[in-house]
Structure formats: C-alpha cells, structure tokens
Amino acid sequence: MFTAFKVQGACALLLSAGLGFVLHAVAAPPANKGLVSESSIPGQCLGNNHAQGSPKRLSVGVVPQLPATETLKRWSPFLENIGKSTDVCFVLSVSTSIPEFESEFLQGRHDLAFMNPYHQVMAFKAQGYEAMLADTRLLTGILVVAKDSPLKSLSDLQGTTLSFPAPNAFAASLLIRSILADQGVSFKASYVKTHTNVYRSVALGSAKAGGGVNNTLLREPESLRATLRVLYETPGFRAHPFSAHPRVSSELRTAITKHILQMTSKPEQQNLLNQVQMPNPAQASHSKDYAPLQRLGIEQFVINENKN
C-alpha cells in the first residue's frame, strides 16, 4: 500500500558527528535556553490568574512525545503568552504516557488538547473535539537506525526488535506498523513511552530501529541526530492539531486561534511557536484534515490499553 513512498537515501537534516556524544545527550540533553517559565509547574495557572474559577479557566493536555519536564518547558511559556493576551487561565496537564493521555481525552477531561492526527479521529468520535490549528509542515513517520547500521531496506528488519513510543502514536507507530505488515515484515515491538526514548534506544543499540516523526527528530540535540540515519519515511499528513472540546465557547476558540496566528508576525514569539511544533500554524478542521485518515485502514493496529 505504501511501498511507492520509500525514501531514497538519508534524511537531509541529519548531521555528521561522532558516537562519543550520544551518552552525553542521553544523560543530560542540552537545556533549551529561554524556555523555562516561572509557571512551569503542573496545575499552575498560565496567563490570567484572575480567570481561575471562571469559564476562562481552560485545562490543556499535550500528547507526551517528550519527557514531562521538557513538555512543561516548551508549553508553559507558549500558554502564558496566549493567556495574558486573551484573558484566559490555562492549566497544563502532563500525562505520564500516551495511553494515559488517550484515556483522558476520550473522557473529555481536557478543554484543549495537542494530539496526534489519529488521536483527533478518536477524540472527535468520542467527544466531538474539533481541530483549531495545525502546522503547515506535513507530518511524516520515520524509521531510524544507527548511522553505521548495515540495514538498508524494510525487509532487513525481519525478526528484529523495533522501538515505538506507544501503540497508538500515529505516524511513529500505527502507520509504520501497518506498512511493515503490508510488506510482510515481522518484528518484536518494544514500546518505550516517548519519541526521545525511541531515538536513544536506537543510538545505544537496544533496538535495531525505531519509529518517530520528522518533527520530533528535528528538535533533538545535534549530537544525537548525528548518530542516526533515516531508513524509511512515510507519506506526509496534516500535522498534530491543537483541538478544542465542544464545551469551549466559539468566542474563546476564535480569540485563541487569532492570537496564535498573529504570533507568526512577531519575531520574538517565533521560538514559542517552534517549541510546540507549530512554527507555521494555520487553521485546521476535522472534516477536511483528519476525517480522511479513517480511509487508511489502520484501525486494526489500534491497541486500546484503557479497557477494563
């Protein structure tokens, strides 16, 4: 089904450097200067403190592609900026795993949520979440291997151990597992919770290859990226949406959307957008951008870890 989309050659964004930097990157990734907010504490109001207890107090969930501390560092300043301009108090919730995040949005616990494309399909069906914004850069799933790995094609992965962040990570897991099944490649899946852990498991040799996405690999330290090579890249799809539960008023949705779009014209706020994977945001909709994903036929690979 997806064979024609096989990527030829290594990904252009990978850099050349020695393996000696990997352990440093694993033990202590470089700090992202300028991202730490005094409000980078789970449950604390980001934006207008006076809006607490009012309809302008909104809970925000973010799919945990990264370690919790990194998610807080990246999202807190972004929400603080929006909240002060829109008179909203955002309360950021950091889930411990992707399955936990899925359970939360399926129950409608978040007013706003940044989720993967297939999560949007699930969230719309369960609660009616509507996509507001997404980056214009297409999201692609990638399989990475060590830079010096002898693996050259998907067939070379037969019988190997592959790392994935979680069963239902869209491009990093669902899509890639469906492609491998389509090509008759059997493997052992190891779910390691985050994209960060996937890349490090491959760099350190505990997995022959691992599933991620272009947007998260691009934001890893250069020292780590230099030790990896993209073996395969999927077709592109509309990126992760920032979505709203139906209980959020249309006025608030419009105000938040308008502010985020205006941030693109302010150079000093561009880094805030980049850190939350929306450097070039544009309006999105479920019906146009995400409903078509149901035609991919990947439902059989969805694993519901939240059933009793």
Side-chain angles (χ1 to χ4, degrees):
M1 172 166 52
F2 294 98
T3 307
F5 294 96
K6 190 177 295 184
V7 166
Q8 301 297 322
C11 181
L13 62 85
L14 297 178
L15 307 175
S16 56
L19 181 60
F21 291 98
V22 176
L23 291 177
H24 172 74
V26 174
N32 290 295
K33 296 182 179 179
L35 297 180
V36 182
S37 165
E38 292 180 357
S39 300
S40 297
I41 302 172
Q44 187 163 341
C45 179
L46 300 166
N48 181 11
N49 284 297
H50 299 294
Q52 293 198 66
S54 77
K56 285 193 170 184
R57 182 185 185 278
L58 301 179
S59 60
V60 181
V62 177
V63 59
Q65 298 172 304
L66 306 171
T69 53
E70 192 68 17
T71 298
L72 284 168
K73 288 179 182 179
R74 292 172 181 267
W75 277 84
S76 294
F78 174 72
L79 294 173
E80 181 87 15
N81 179 280
I82 303 170
K84 287 181 176 178
S85 296
T86 58
D87 198 31
V88 172
C89 166
F90 294 108
V91 178
L92 179 59
S93 173
V94 181
S95 310
T96 60
S97 67
I98 292 177
E100 180 182 279
F101 173 71
E102 291 168 359
S103 175
E104 291 166 355
F105 73 68
L106 288 173
Q107 296 175 57
R109 288 178 56 184
H110 303 303
D111 296 312
L112 304 176
F114 182 74
M115 56 184 69
N116 80 43
Y118 202 76
H119 280 161
Q120 171 59 39
V121 173
M122 297 165 65
F124 181 84
K125 187 179 298 184
Q127 292 286 337
Y129 279 89
E130 179 57 65
M132 298 189 300
L133 294 152
D135 195 57
T136 55
R137 177 184 176 133
L138 295 181
L139 177 76
T140 63
I142 55 175
L143 270 171
V144 298
V145 296
K147 187 176 182 180
D148 59 356
S149 170
L151 302 175
K152 300 297 182 184
S153 67
L154 293 183
S155 61
D156 293 336
L157 298 174
Q158 188 75 36
T160 61
T161 296
L162 307 182
S163 288
F164 300 99
N168 301 335
F170 170 59
S173 178
L174 279 174
L175 195 56
I176 287 176
R177 287 189 289 118
S178 71
I179 292 169
L180 291 172
D182 187 54
Q183 298 202 13
V185 177
S186 61
F187 57 90
K188 178 182 178 182
S190 175
Y191 298 109
V192 296
K193 293 193 174 182
T194 67
H195 290 230
T196 298
N197 288 345
V198 167
Y199 301 136
R200 281 153 178 74
S201 70
V202 175
L204 294 174
S206 58
K208 293 294 185 181
V213 298
N214 56 341
N215 290 337
T216 57
L217 181 61
L218 184 65
R219 290 167 174 81
E220 288 290 340
E222 291 184 9
S223 54
L224 176 62
R225 285 188 285 145
T227 68
L228 301 173
R229 170 170 57 87
V230 174
L231 176 73
Y232 181 89
E233 187 169 23
T234 73
F237 297 89
R238 191 72 196 268
H240 289 47
F242 194 34
S243 303
H245 193 279
R247 63 175 169 264
V248 180
S249 71
S250 59
E251 287 183 348
L252 273 180
R253 294 191 207 188
T254 299
I256 292 167
T257 298
K258 182 179 179 180
H259 179 79
I260 294 175
L261 292 175
Q262 289 176 341
M263 291 173 70
T264 61
S265 63
K266 301 175 181 179
E268 69 276 12
Q269 295 180 9
Q270 190 61 47
N271 191 50
L272 296 178
L273 291 168
N274 183 57
Q275 293 304 322
V276 297
Q277 299 183 43
M278 290 191 290
N280 297 292
Q283 288 185 287
S285 75
H286 175 79
S287 59
K288 177 183 176 182
D289 300 309
Y290 302 102
L293 297 180
Q294 297 178 85
R295 296 198 295 265
L296 291 176
I298 59 177
E299 295 84 1
Q300 62 184 303
F301 298 98
V302 172
I303 298 176
N304 188 348
E305 298 186 9
N306 301 304
K307 287 184 177 180
N308 294 325

